[in-house]
Amino acid sequence: MKLHWKIIIGLALGLLYGIFAATQGLGGFTSNWIAPFGTIFISLLKLIAVPLILSSLITGVASLSNLKKLSRIGGKTITIYILTTAISVTIGLVIVNMLQPGDRVPDEMKIKLQETYQSAADTKASAAANVKDRGPLQPIVDIVPSNFFNAASSNRNMLQVVFVAIFIGIGLIQIPKNKSKPFLDFFEGLNAVVIKLVNIIMLMAPIGVFALIADTINTVAGDDLTNILELLGSLGYYMITVILGLLIHMSVTYSAILKIFTNMSLKDFYKGIAPAQLLAFSTSSSSATLPVTMECCEDKLGVSEEVSSFVLPLGATINMDGTALYQAVAAVFIAQTLGMDLTLGAQLTIVLTAVLASIGTAAVPGAGLIMLVIILEAIGVPSQGIALILGVDRILDMMRTTTNVTGDASVAVFIASTENQISPPKKEFD
Ligand code: ASP
């Protein structure tokens, strides 16, 4: 059986078990005996992320014949990332203005949501305050680490690792071959080992995904399913708006990129990328999914390692179309629910801040919600308003992370195609 089917079965069983556990009050059992398998699975994926980026990017950059090519690929990648993010925010804004989900929340539910999630909303707002106090150039300053081991010691510093790897790769191109060879040989070996490890970890994926989904339902619903049903009832329209936006973005924007600029059929693309999408959905983290996204792109879609090792780690950290679209819809939804009218200027501010905020959003669960606070403040909507959407945020996080990862993969295929770096897929994943 193909890996993605095994993962889908794990996901479905996790869903069924989660609902069963919530109705039977098995919350404690689930967090003690089921959830740890999900944690182990995610930890394994995170464990290999830094060595994977280092080894594949160093060997990738060092194999580029000249630096001109690197800057051309870099410029193209960043431009398309920003462009697609801006398109996704615009789609989100059009849909939320058309469907007006904020007008559908009953008044008593508004009060209840504000009360229930107030303290959680305050915590997120103070996390956002730390980010907001930084100067305008701080994100660029943050990319350059002052100590390599510090950078490599946290998966949150992925962009710093990307920077170091490119920097070392550039150095390697410029020294004599006999000096660079031993160094490169080491990283090529490391790269081969890490790729093998991804395959081994993926054997555990169905169980890991089962545990992750069961635990997510457990956390969202607690021991009382009526909780979540009530939430889905009152915020259902808002959720549909976000999901519809994400689907439109995926099926219009990404399909257009693939159809116009590449020879890849949509069927091949989605078949190839399915394991990464399922993992993004289950983990809500683009960075935890990164090793699998790279593996899928290289082995199943035929993207060269040179392109995938540069485009995908960068994309996992800065390209978050799903997050940006969600932030735009959520900001307008909160304003609508609070009875505030947003001017055209405010909506344009959303486009700008959502693109920037999604770039600054960490690729971990729930990070998009924290950056939403900054957008709300930019358009003068009280940030406590996030209490309204906190209850269903995890579910939407799963959806937006899937979009984020799909976006990274489509751009990788686009860059590889336009750079003539796409070849017939090497092998099947499983
Ligand atoms: N969980 C998302 C990701 O990792 C970020 C977010 O929107 O919260 O891509």
Side-chain angles (χ1 to χ4, degrees):
M1 194 190 284
K2 288 250 190 295
L3 179 70
H4 61 265
W5 284 115
K6 291 188 205 156
I7 301 181
I8 289 175
I9 292 173
L11 210 146
L13 290 177
L15 192 74
L16 289 178
Y17 169 82
I19 294 172
F20 172 76
T23 51
Q24 303 297 314
L26 291 175
F29 176 82
T30 308
S31 43
N32 285 332
W33 295 98
I34 307 276
F37 292 99
T39 314
I40 292 173
F41 178 58
I42 293 207
S43 299
L44 284 172
L45 285 170
K46 288 185 179 163
L47 175 70
I48 53 168
V50 169
L52 179 65
I53 294 179
L54 259 188
S55 59
S56 62
L57 206 46
I58 288 177
T59 49
V61 174
S63 70
L64 289 176
S65 39
N66 56 47
L67 293 179
K68 250 210 203 121
K69 193 166 163 197
L70 178 68
S71 47
R72 185 181 67 231
I73 295 183
K76 209 154 67 170
T77 307
I78 292 175
T79 310
I80 184 101
Y81 275 158
I82 293 179
L83 215 68
T84 48
T85 308
I87 294 175
S88 82
V89 177
T90 313
I91 293 177
L93 281 180
V94 170
I95 290 217
V96 73
N97 281 300
M98 269 167 57
L99 299 183
Q100 304 271 352
D103 299 344
R104 303 239 180 171
V105 186
D107 278 343
E108 68 279 13
M109 197 60 196
K110 285 182 198 168
I111 298 166
K112 193 171 165 205
L113 286 170
Q114 290 277 16
E115 279 168 0
T116 319
Y117 293 101
Q118 197 53 62
S119 66
D122 289 344
T123 319
K124 304 276 176 202
S126 58
N130 290 337
V131 181
K132 216 189 64 189
D133 284 345
R134 303 180 314 172
L137 290 185
Q138 196 57 38
I140 298 175
V141 175
D142 285 346
I143 295 176
V144 186
S146 58
N147 181 300
F148 167 68
F149 294 98
N150 259 349
S153 70
S154 159
N155 283 25
R156 284 192 169 255
N157 299 334
M158 213 76 100
L159 222 42
Q160 296 190 344
V161 177
V162 170
F163 175 83
V164 173
I166 295 176
F167 203 34
I168 293 179
I170 292 175
L172 274 174
I173 298 178
Q174 309 193 18
I175 59 173
K177 278 249 168 353
N178 61 341
K179 293 261 169 20
S180 61
K181 188 163 182 312
F183 191 85
L184 265 175
D185 283 348
F186 168 76
F187 279 101
E188 269 163 19
L190 179 64
N191 197 19
V193 175
V194 176
I195 288 172
K196 188 86 226 151
L197 294 183
V198 177
N199 281 313
I200 298 175
I201 296 168
M202 284 310 277
L203 294 177
M204 188 195 164
I207 298 172
V209 164
F210 168 84
L212 286 167
I213 296 290
D215 185 46
T216 305
I217 297 184
N218 187 28
T219 325
V220 177
D223 275 343
D224 185 7
L225 255 195
T226 47
N227 241 344
I228 182 108
L229 290 181
E230 195 179 34
L231 271 177
L232 291 181
S234 49
L235 295 176
Y237 209 60
Y238 154 68
M239 293 174 74
I240 290 173
T241 311
V242 175
I243 295 169
L244 199 67
L246 296 176
L247 287 176
I248 292 177
H249 184 55
M250 284 207 272
S251 55
V252 176
T253 317
Y254 300 153
S255 301
I257 292 177
L258 292 171
K259 278 224 164 311
I260 299 172
F261 300 103
T262 78
N263 289 328
M264 188 165 298
S265 76
L266 291 180
K267 191 169 157 235
D268 286 346
F269 175 76
Y270 280 105
K271 243 172 92 184
I273 200 70
Q277 286 183 313
L278 290 165
L279 218 58
F281 183 82
S282 325
T283 59
S284 292
S285 165
S286 323
S287 68
T289 312
L290 179 63
V292 179
T293 319
M294 289 175 74
E295 178 85 357
C296 286
C297 283
E298 287 169 24
D299 283 357
K300 289 185 140 194
L301 303 182
V303 174
S304 75
E305 193 182 327
E306 203 174 303
V307 167
S308 92
S309 62
F310 174 73
V311 172
L312 293 172
L314 195 69
T317 16
I318 69 163
N319 181 48
M320 300 205 180
D321 295 358
T323 300
L325 188 148
Y326 143 85
Q327 286 168 334
V329 173
V332 177
F333 169 77
I334 292 171
Q336 286 171 353
T337 315
L338 300 179
M340 300 170 73
D341 253 343
L342 291 179
T343 57
L344 189 65
Q347 308 245 5
L348 287 177
T349 309
I350 294 180
V351 177
L352 198 69
T353 43
V355 172
L356 293 177
S358 72
I359 292 174
T361 302
V364 295
L369 184 69
I370 295 175
M371 299 304 274
L372 175 62
V373 173
I374 295 173
I375 299 176
L376 289 177
E377 285 177 6
I379 54 171
V381 173
S383 55
Q384 292 88 337
I386 59 168
L388 292 166
I389 56 165
L390 255 164
V392 292
D393 197 64
R394 180 60 199 239
I395 305 172
L396 293 178
D397 198 358
M398 298 159 92
M399 315 273 181
R400 63 188 191 243
T401 309
T402 310
T403 310
N404 292 343
V405 168
T406 313
D408 299 341
S410 356
V411 171
V413 173
F414 163 77
I415 299 283
S417 296
T418 54
E419 289 291 325
N420 239 335
Q421 297 221 33
I422 204 142
S423 51
K426 276 182 275 178
K427 61 173 166 65
E428 283 295 317
F429 207 148
D430 35 348

